[in-house]
Each structure stands twice: as structure tokens, then as C-alpha cells.
Amino acid sequence: MRLSRYFLPVLKETPAEAQIVSHRLMLRAGMIKQMSAGIYAWLPLGFKMLRKIENIVHEEQIRAGHIPVLMPTLQSAELWRESGRYDGYGEEMLRMQDRHGRDMLFSPTAEEMFTDTFRSYVKSYKDLPLTIYQIQWKFRDEIRPRFGVMRGREFLMKDGYNFDLTKEDALHAYNRHLVSYLRTYERMGLQAIPMRAESGPIGGDNTHEFLVLAETGESGVFYDSEITDLKFGDREVDYDNVEQCQGVLEEFTSRYARTDDTHDQAAFEAQVPEERRREARGIEVGQIFYFGTKYSEPMGATVTDAEGNKVPVHMGSHGIGVSRLLGALIEANHDENGIIWPEGVTPFHVGIVNLKQGDAAADGACEDLYKALTAKGLEPLYDDRNERAGGKFATMDLIGLPWRITVGPRGLKNGVVELTSRRTGESEELTPELAVARVAEIYAGH
Amino acid sequence: MRLSRYFLPVLKETPAEAQIVSHRLMLRAGMIKQMSAGIYAWLPLGFKMLRKIENIVHEEQIRAGHIPVLMPTLQSAELWRESGRYDGYGEEMLRMQDRHGRDMLFSPTAEEMFTDTFRSYVKSYKDLPLTIYQIQWKFRDEIRPRFGVMRGREFLMKDGYNFDLTKEDALHAYNRHLVSYLRTYERMGLQAIPMRAESGPIGGDNTHEFLVLAETGESGVFYDSEITDLKFGDREVDYDNVEQCQGVLEEFTSRYARTDDTHDQAAFEAQVPEERRREARGIEVGQIFYFGTKYSEPMGATVTDAEGNKVPVHMGSHGIGVSRLLGALIEANHDENGIIWPEGVTPFHVGIVNLKQGDAAADGACEDLYKALTAKGLEPLYDDRNERAGGKFATMDLIGLPWRITVGPRGLKNGVVELTSRRTGESEELTPELAVARVAEIYAGH
């Protein structure tokens, strides 16, 4: 993309309303625009990132054997009356009537719609196990939306639902989700720690939240410091292998890690030696639940088992806050000049800064770099505007591309351009060909 | 994908409520499920197709230089009061109040949000031209939703908005959209004819609708038969070239082609020789508008021109009915046994039917085919269920994959499998290796 043809409305001033760094930087980098309280437009850079995160979540869910569908945002109130949640859900549910006076609502979560879909088609245990999921916009009418996309009212969420014959099978689905979530977050360069949580309005006994450590997190967290040494890494997991998935769960959840909702100081002190006890703050980026037959019983989602009996299926639901992940990524990856995207998830792979637009040698070298990078399957953002170098550097730092190639007449006389890491600030001079090869090599693993 | 692990709830019976073939086939093929009147869940096969169509629309818009963003589905009523459309829009607009009693609505279209976004950031003619677009769910509370996704209430639409300094520039944007739309539809194997249309609540003088001919179309259409010979083909278009885009517009719109809204029988007879006059029915799959300063003036979307004057920008908006395209594709591509997807847009590239599940040779050959096809970048759907051949063929015909490879013990003894075209029904016997090569060759151009 050439910046002169892009729409990247960066702001010089820090917006007064933004209290946390991710909100400030998303506004300043021209990623989002508030349209009303807690409701955002996703500008080109923000939309591009949202789509990248969405695609990673899709890829990891599909890898785990889960099947994507898409439910409508609006639904009739009937299903929620059937499950018994309509009256109790409270003011966070946005309710409305259509032109015929029928009660409708904007989906805050979708247990009812998925259970209804399941019961409409699946009748036999032979069609189990089944996990279907969606990535769709939800609405929760927060009384005080804040922190930008971290606690917005309209937000993009991945929500998946497993349907299993037995509790045992459903717990394997639970573990499978835990594994796929660990992979998903790590691929984005995030460490998200599974912590024992409370179930709230979804229901159920088994539930873990995934928290990214960040000073601005809304939750207090208490954990054993050994946990942050755990890495999922590039291990191969067979998602059908019950023991293997159970093993990952045990490895990642056996140490003490709880949010303030479930924290037990006595247990913390009993289980964790003092030097390993940590208190910090965290951002919730996902949650998994096993809730058994809470929805399948009242809604009649049953299958015939091998003995011919009709039994309600065992279910769980599993969510990742997709739009919120953008905020969490920035909270975890920034400095005083702006965002620093991890290589695993960046809007563009590399920025090209032309120090002297209009200089034939510099323009030509930039065009050549642009073509060579594109030919390698990389997506560069070329700042071809007629602006001063300082402004160009500031924009690149603000929007946080991990790598920048700087091209100027002086360097070109010596046959070199400059390759700079956004994270370390370190630069090296290279021929343009080597710079392209180097960037391609960096991204080869991503 | 292995069918035993997929969720493909095909129906044997034809659902009584479905009046047109696309609606019937989408229900029968397990693509959609009605959740309430005019509101559908997209089951795995339907979601997969929706995503494929969405991706083609994105690719062609980006090729034309248009920039993707995403607006929220919900918005405050304020912007619509500013443009003067809030009170007049009528009952199709779904209105609601949030917990603080603020008037909100589910976006039926987004001229106001895009104009507001533009005016918030763009101040100078130097930042023009600019076209931004989204693919997002819209809601229009149709009094009598029908025909499945063809006239649903919640629907996925691509809507793009151009912002230009002059009428002349905006008309180039109009032409650019026309060209990109022709490419988009043709890539999906659809012929959509641009027809002079009425502007309705969007406003403006210049507008064309794109119609796909189909007996079940809601619009009557009148056209010169020469039009259906026009092909966009694989011509290279420079979207910056004003004359070239204007030339395409003239080529595709100079002959008589109108919907019943704008039809003029006298003009039809005067302009078209009798033997070329056609009356038919069509499905509207897109519309482009130039409406000048209709929104920029009341909403103050101005830029400073080269002389330093503040002038309102010239705008247009341009839509493609993304979810509706699925219906149109099926109306144009089916037979009595089911859907026939064009190669350009099919959920899976090829089906593999194992005639004797459990037979070691057949199972092994199917697995090998699955791996070989996947290695070529193709996505097969392997029917590995323990079902009779007749049921497997019926399912493959119903869901409409363009090619099927049938594997059975008898053929394998002679070293062959059967490759069958869904469209022609013709089969040829080939070695498995040649079948893979043949399918790869078929899809090489797509």
C-alpha cells in the first residue's frame, strides 16, 4: 500500500477521553473512531488488524476440528424465554420490538441459538462429538463503557459451543478449547494465563478465564510465578488425543492462578512459596465453560444413545474477545512513541520511508523495494508522501510496524538502505537486495 | 474436510415455506436455518460460501483502489437527524433505545456514518479522491420478508462511498465502481446487467442497478438482446484511467436496459429493433449512485480547494448484496437434483465418494486422493460415511460441488477412479494421479 492512496488519519494530539494507552494509541494511529458511547468504527488500519486477528482465531479453531457458522446478530426473544434467561439477563441486553411488535434482542451471547440449531438437526449420538462456533458482533449495554475496544458495547467475539454425549467427552472438548486458545494467543505474541474463574450468567462449574498481564487490566490476579515460564511452543498436539489435551490442561492449570473473583489468600499462601507469589493486574481475553445440561435440558436438545434412550447433551461454551484482543495486544506491546506489533500479527510487514520524495534515485529505489517485497508475498506500507522525514518516522513509530526500511539519496550513493527494528530501535545498513532477503527471512516463520 | 466430521444437515423433504428454488435448495443443502422471520443462521456450508463471496468482493474492491473499513451495526439516531433522514425513513428502520434512553437504530445503510467519518478527518482537496467501503450486516424491517436470503431482514451488504472534489471526479468513481462490479459478478460466473434505475431513499440522479436474469426475479426487465453478448472478460483495466472506465460504462450501458421502475415502452420500441427486444425477470444484486452533495451539504463534509475555498464534496454510494448473491447464484445455477456451483465460487473444489467404506483398497485410495488434492492447494470434501452409494451421490448433487471423484473396489482393480462433472453429468475413468492432475488443471484459472 502506498500511503498517499491510503486512509490513515493519525492524530497529533492525545484524545482527552482516552484513559488507557491502548485506547489512546488506537485513536491516535487512526485505527478506530468512536461513533457513540462504546461503539466504534474500524478505520482501515484497525479493520485490517481486526481481520488478521479474526483469521488467526479461525485457523486455530479449524485446526482443533471446530466448524465455523454464523448466527444473526438479532434474534427473537422466544428462545431466551425457553432457556429462562430472558427476564433475568438485565439491562445489559439490548431489547427492541420489530414493526409487528415482536420482542427481539441483539445477541449478547448465543447459547440459545446454538442449542436450537443443534436440536433441529442432530438426533443421534453417532453425530457427536460436535463443536460449532462463530465470530460475530455482540452487544452488551454496559452502563459505563470505557477503555475503547476493551469494554465497548458492540464487540466482536468468537463463541464456540460443544455438544457431547457424556460429561467426559464434554470435558475433552473443554480441554481441546484450552489447548487451541493457548496456541491462538501465543501465535499473536501474547501470553494469556488460564485462571480459575466464576461462571456468571453463562452458568456451570468448570470455567477458566485467560488473562494477559497488563498494568491497566481490570482484574486483579494472583499467581505462582512459575506459570509465566510455561510456553506452548511449537509442540504438535493431536486434538483427538484425550490424554494429550488433558496433559496440557494439567500443565497449564495446576499451579495457583486466580482472579480476584475466586482468589483465596489462605490457599495461595499454602500452595505457593512466598518468593513465587505474584499479585498483578490482567486483561481477560477469553473464557471457557463446561455447563453440562443447563441449556440442553430446558430446551430439549437430546440425542438417542447407543441403548436407544433419549438423553440431553453435555455442553460448554468458549469465547475469545476478538476486538478486545487488539486492545490487549497494544497494552502488551508499545512504548512512548506508539504501538509495536509482534511479527505474528501486524497490519503491514514492513514500512518503507522515502527520505526525499521526488529524488529520482530515492523514488526508484523505493519502488524497486516495494515490488521486491510484494513479490516475496510481503505487504509493505510505502510512505510516498511529500513530507519531512521526521513526520514520516513519527507516523511509522506510532502505527508500530515491526520493521522499517529507510531510503535516502545519501545511503543510495553507497548502495545501501537502512533496516530498523521498531522494538529495539537498532538499525543496520544493507544493500536493498539484502534488506528484502532479511525481512523475508524474519517473516518466514510467521 | 471429511464429511463424518463436518456438520452438513441436509434435508430430504422440501420445506413447505420456501417458494423459490434458491430458498428451497439452501434449506435442503443445510446452508441456512431460519431463526425468525427473514433472519437466518448460516450453517457451515452456507457460511463457507458467504465468506468466499465476501472475499471476492473484497479483492475486487481493493483492486479498484477502494479501502475497507467497518462501521458498527448500531448507531445513535443523531447523525440521521442531521441528514434529515431519521423521521422520513419509515418502518423499515429498526429503532430502539439503549439503557440510558438514547435513540438508536440498526444501520439499514451507512451514508451518514461514512460522511461523518470523512468530515472528522479530511480537510483538504489534496487528500482526495477517497473511496472507503465496508462489508457489514444491515437490517431492514421488511413488512413481508420472503424468498430466503433474497429478501431477508438481516442481510450482508457491501456498501462503498466515494468522496471527490468535483462532479467529474465523482462520476469517474461511479464508473470505477461499475467496472469493479462487472468484474466481481463475472468472477462468480454471473452475468449482471447494469440497468437504469430509480434512486429511492438514497437520492441522486445517476444510478444503475445490476440485475441477474432469472425467472424468479422480483423485477421485470426490458432490454436489448445484444447486451447479453457483452463480456467483461479478462481485459486489463487501469482504474485510474478516466477514459478507459468511461468507455466500459458506455459499452455496457448504451443499449436499452431498464427495470419496470424506469421502463419507457415508447423509447424501448424506438431504440431496439423488434427481434432484439426482450422482456424478462431479474434479481437485483447491486446498485451504484452518484448523489452529489446531498449528504455533504447538510452534514458539513467540506474540503478546502486549491483556491482556499471550503466546498462540499461530491459523493456517491455503491452497494452489492453479498448474502443475496448466494440466492442469485443458485437461481442461475441449479437443476432438479440440486445446486451447481460455478468453479469460481464453490464451497469445496471436489467431492470424493467412497463407494465401499471399510474396503481397504477403497479407503486407502480415497485417503491418497484427499492428500494429493490437498497438496495441490485444493479443498476436497470426502464422503467417508458408512452410507449407501445412492445417498452419497444424492448429497453431492444437492450441495453442488462442480466435480466429483468416485472411488470403488471394482474401478480400483483396473487402476481407475471416475471423474464426473456436476454440470454435464459426464464421467471419465482415469488413474487417481490423472484425476488429481485434471482437477488441478480445471481450477488453475480460478
Side-chain angles (χ1 to χ4, degrees):
Chain A
M1 177 59 66
R2 288 168 167 80
L3 200 41
S4 64
R5 310 197 70 159
Y6 201 46
F7 178 50
L8 183 73
V10 300
L11 305 178
K12 292 223 173 61
E13 294 80 34
T14 297
E17 75 272 26
Q19 295 164 36
I20 62 169
V21 67
S22 60
H23 190 191
R24 281 198 294 275
L25 288 174
M26 288 181 79
L27 291 167
R28 284 195 55 212
M31 294 180 68
I32 54 170
K33 172 184 186 303
Q34 181 170 306
M35 300 306 284
S36 34
I39 301 182
Y40 293 87
W42 295 80
L43 303 178
L45 196 74
F47 175 67
K48 203 162 200 295
M49 280 302 297
L50 193 64
R51 194 84 173 174
K52 291 215 165 185
I53 289 176
E54 192 186 342
N55 284 340
I56 290 176
V57 174
H58 268 306
E59 282 174 22
E60 293 302 331
Q61 287 307 299
I62 288 167
R63 191 193 306 271
H66 306 158
I67 305 171
V69 299
L70 193 66
M71 293 290 159
T73 61
L74 294 186
Q75 49 180 312
S76 115
E78 279 168 48
L79 285 177
W80 288 69
R81 292 201 172 105
E82 241 187 283
S83 75
R85 286 207 293 180
Y86 185 67
D87 293 323
Y89 205 93
E91 288 202 89
E92 279 193 15
M93 181 187 279
L94 186 69
R95 298 156 206 250
M96 67 214 72
Q97 290 194 323
D98 72 6
R99 68 191 295 174
H100 299 296
R102 287 177 292 218
D103 287 329
M104 300 184 68
L105 57 96
F106 198 117
S107 180
T109 174
E111 280 76 13
E112 283 80 358
M113 285 196 289
F114 276 82
T115 306
D116 177 56
T117 299
F118 177 85
R119 74 177 171 186
S120 301
Y121 301 111
V122 183
K123 307 292 174 200
S124 163
Y125 75 99
K126 290 181 188 164
D127 295 324
L128 304 182
L130 178 67
T131 294
I132 44 183
Y133 77 93
Q134 67 172 346
I135 300 179
Q136 177 61 300
W137 292 92
K138 308 288 188 304
F139 196 89
R140 290 183 195 162
D141 204 354
E142 300 273 352
I143 191 160
R144 199 163 65 87
R146 58 192 185 281
F147 302 156
V149 301
M150 299 278 275
R151 191 163 286 275
R153 294 197 294 169
E154 187 170 328
F155 58 97
L156 189 62
M157 186 171 131
K158 173 260 160 181
D159 47 325
Y161 304 83
N162 68 283
F163 302 89
D164 287 278
L165 183 61
T166 64
K167 178 172 181 178
E168 200 179 10
D169 291 350
L171 288 177
H172 172 55
Y174 185 90
N175 297 345
R176 211 169 55 224
H177 278 89
L178 181 129
V179 175
S180 70
Y181 282 24
L182 289 172
R183 274 190 67 104
T184 303
Y185 300 125
E186 245 189 59
R187 241 183 101 173
M188 297 176 193
L190 278 179
Q191 180 170 44
I193 305 169
M195 300 199 181
R196 195 197 283 191
E198 285 196 329
S199 61
I202 306 285
D205 304 323
N206 293 52
T207 176
H208 281 93
E209 282 181 336
F210 292 78
L211 285 109
V212 172
L213 299 177
E215 282 165 28
T216 49
E218 290 188 290
S219 311
V221 298
F222 303 82
Y223 62 96
D224 181 336
S225 67
E226 283 189 350
I227 283 180
T228 50
D229 297 332
L230 298 173
K231 294 277 175 287
F232 191 82
D234 53 4
R235 64 180 94 179
E236 285 291 320
V237 170
D238 174 359
Y239 281 105
D240 292 334
N241 187 319
V242 172
E243 290 71 31
Q244 213 178 359
C245 292
Q246 174 71 22
V248 174
L249 173 97
E250 282 164 13
E251 179 183 348
F252 281 83
T253 65
S254 59
R255 291 174 188 80
Y256 192 99
R258 298 199 190 175
T259 65
D260 35 22
D261 288 337
T262 55
H263 177 58
D264 173 342
Q265 187 65 27
F268 191 37
E269 290 176 13
Q271 292 171 33
V272 189
E274 194 172 0
E275 69 278 12
R276 294 200 333 238
R277 282 180 222 147
R278 297 286 182 278
E279 289 189 37
R281 303 204 66 78
I283 301 165
E284 191 216 320
V285 292
Q287 189 161 5
I288 54 179
F289 298 91
Y290 161 72
F291 45 66
T293 59
K294 177 179 154 83
Y295 298 90
S296 56
E297 280 200 44
M299 295 183 67
T302 58
V303 292
T304 308
D305 68 13
E307 285 77 41
N309 307 308
K310 264 194 176 177
V311 293
V313 290
H314 285 257
M315 292 175 55
S317 70
H318 315 279
I320 291 180
V322 175
S323 45
R324 164 176 272 226
L325 266 177
L326 264 167
L329 270 166
I330 296 173
E331 291 293 334
N333 297 282
H334 68 270
D335 64 14
E336 66 281 12
N337 297 320
I339 302 165
I340 309 171
W341 296 114
E343 272 100 359
V345 54
T346 172
F348 298 93
H349 297 104
V350 55
I352 303 173
V353 168
N354 187 341
L355 292 176
K356 199 167 181 187
Q357 206 70 37
D359 175 89
D363 291 1
C366 286
E367 287 294 334
D368 290 346
L369 278 168
Y370 190 90
K371 282 181 201 139
L373 289 161
T374 306
K376 295 258 185 204
L378 297 166
E379 202 177 6
L381 179 68
Y382 169 24
D383 192 343
D384 61 342
R385 297 170 308 162
N386 207 349
E387 295 253 336
R388 295 163 56 137
K392 290 187 175 186
F393 289 141
T395 296
M396 285 291 175
D397 283 354
L398 177 60
I399 68 170
L401 309 187
W403 296 91
R404 185 185 79 208
I405 301 177
T406 308
V407 179
R410 195 147 28 143
L412 289 175
K413 271 188 196 147
N414 300 322
V416 295
V417 296
E418 196 178 66
L419 179 66
T420 306
S421 158
R422 172 69 181 86
R423 196 170 286 277
T424 66
E426 281 166 27
S427 293
E428 55 177 324
E429 294 198 330
L430 296 164
T431 64
E433 294 72 26
L434 279 175
V436 170
R438 180 91 185 86
V439 175
E441 185 187 302
I442 288 164
Y443 283 103
H446 291 283
Chain B
M1 178 58 66
R2 288 167 168 81
L3 200 40
S4 65
R5 310 196 69 158
Y6 201 46
F7 179 51
L8 183 73
V10 300
L11 305 179
K12 291 222 172 62
E13 295 79 35
T14 296
E17 76 271 25
Q19 296 164 36
I20 61 170
V21 67
S22 60
H23 190 190
R24 279 197 295 275
L25 288 175
M26 288 180 78
L27 290 168
R28 285 196 53 213
M31 295 179 68
I32 54 171
K33 173 185 188 301
Q34 182 170 305
M35 300 305 283
S36 35
I39 301 182
Y40 292 89
W42 296 80
L43 303 178
L45 196 73
F47 175 67
K48 204 162 199 296
M49 279 302 299
L50 193 65
R51 195 82 174 177
K52 290 216 166 184
I53 289 177
E54 192 186 342
N55 283 340
I56 290 176
V57 174
H58 268 306
E59 282 175 23
E60 293 301 332
Q61 287 306 300
I62 287 167
R63 192 194 305 273
H66 306 158
I67 304 168
V69 300
L70 193 67
M71 294 290 160
T73 62
L74 295 186
Q75 48 180 312
S76 116
E78 279 169 47
L79 285 177
W80 288 69
R81 293 203 171 104
E82 241 187 282
S83 74
R85 286 208 291 180
Y86 185 67
D87 293 323
Y89 205 93
E91 288 203 90
E92 280 195 14
M93 181 188 278
L94 185 70
R95 298 156 206 248
M96 68 214 71
Q97 289 196 324
D98 72 7
R99 69 191 294 172
H100 298 297
R102 287 176 292 217
D103 289 328
M104 300 185 68
L105 57 97
F106 198 117
S107 179
T109 174
E111 280 76 13
E112 283 80 359
M113 285 195 287
F114 276 83
T115 307
D116 177 55
T117 299
F118 177 85
R119 74 179 171 185
S120 301
Y121 300 111
V122 184
K123 306 294 174 197
S124 162
Y125 75 99
K126 290 181 189 163
D127 295 323
L128 304 183
L130 176 67
T131 294
I132 45 184
Y133 77 93
Q134 67 173 344
I135 299 180
Q136 177 62 299
W137 292 92
K138 309 288 190 301
F139 196 90
R140 290 183 196 163
D141 204 353
E142 301 273 352
I143 191 160
R144 199 163 65 87
R146 60 191 184 282
F147 302 156
V149 301
M150 299 280 274
R151 190 163 287 276
R153 294 198 292 169
E154 186 170 328
F155 59 98
L156 189 61
M157 186 172 133
K158 173 260 160 183
D159 46 324
Y161 305 83
N162 68 283
F163 301 90
D164 288 278
L165 183 61
T166 63
K167 178 174 182 179
E168 200 180 11
D169 292 348
L171 288 177
H172 171 57
Y174 184 90
N175 298 346
R176 211 169 55 224
H177 278 89
L178 181 128
V179 175
S180 71
Y181 281 23
L182 289 171
R183 275 190 66 104
T184 302
Y185 299 125
E186 246 189 57
R187 240 183 101 174
M188 297 176 193
L190 279 178
Q191 180 170 46
I193 304 169
M195 301 199 180
R196 196 198 281 191
E198 284 196 329
S199 60
I202 306 284
D205 303 323
N206 293 50
T207 176
H208 281 92
E209 280 180 337
F210 292 78
L211 284 109
V212 173
L213 299 177
E215 284 165 27
T216 48
E218 289 188 291
S219 311
V221 298
F222 303 83
Y223 63 95
D224 182 335
S225 67
E226 283 190 350
I227 283 180
T228 50
D229 298 331
L230 297 173
K231 293 278 175 287
F232 191 82
D234 54 3
R235 63 181 95 180
E236 284 292 319
V237 170
D238 174 359
Y239 282 105
D240 292 334
N241 186 318
V242 172
E243 290 71 31
Q244 213 178 359
C245 292
Q246 174 71 21
V248 175
L249 173 96
E250 283 164 13
E251 178 184 347
F252 281 83
T253 65
S254 59
R255 291 172 188 81
Y256 192 97
R258 298 199 191 175
T259 65
D260 37 20
D261 288 338
T262 56
H263 177 57
D264 174 341
Q265 187 64 27
F268 190 36
E269 291 175 14
Q271 290 172 33
V272 188
E274 195 173 358
E275 70 277 11
R276 292 196 339 234
R277 281 180 221 146
R278 296 287 183 277
E279 289 189 38
R281 303 205 65 78
I283 300 165
E284 191 216 320
V285 291
Q287 188 161 4
I288 54 178
F289 298 91
Y290 161 72
F291 46 65
T293 59
K294 177 179 154 82
Y295 298 89
S296 57
E297 279 199 43
M299 295 184 67
T302 58
V303 293
T304 308
D305 69 13
E307 285 78 41
N309 308 309
K310 265 195 176 177
V311 294
V313 289
H314 285 256
M315 292 175 56
S317 70
H318 315 279
I320 291 180
V322 174
S323 46
R324 163 175 273 228
L325 265 176
L326 264 168
L329 270 166
I330 296 174
E331 291 292 334
N333 297 283
H334 68 271
D335 64 14
E336 66 280 12
N337 297 320
I339 303 166
I340 309 171
W341 296 115
E343 273 101 359
V345 54
T346 174
F348 297 94
H349 296 105
V350 56
I352 304 173
V353 168
N354 187 342
L355 292 177
K356 199 166 179 187
Q357 206 71 36
D359 175 90
D363 291 1
C366 287
E367 288 295 332
D368 289 347
L369 278 168
Y370 190 90
K371 280 181 203 141
L373 289 161
T374 306
K376 295 257 185 205
L378 297 165
E379 202 177 4
L381 179 68
Y382 170 24
D383 191 343
D384 60 343
R385 297 170 308 163
N386 207 350
E387 295 252 336
R388 295 163 55 137
K392 290 188 176 186
F393 288 141
T395 296
M396 283 292 176
D397 282 355
L398 177 60
I399 69 170
L401 309 186
W403 296 91
R404 186 186 80 210
I405 301 177
T406 308
V407 179
R410 196 146 28 143
L412 288 176
K413 272 188 195 148
N414 300 320
V416 296
V417 296
E418 195 179 66
L419 179 66
T420 307
S421 158
R422 172 70 182 85
R423 196 172 286 278
T424 67
E426 282 165 26
S427 292
E428 55 177 322
E429 293 198 329
L430 294 164
T431 64
E433 294 71 27
L434 279 173
V436 171
R438 180 91 185 83
V439 174
E441 185 187 303
I442 288 163
Y443 283 102
H446 291 282

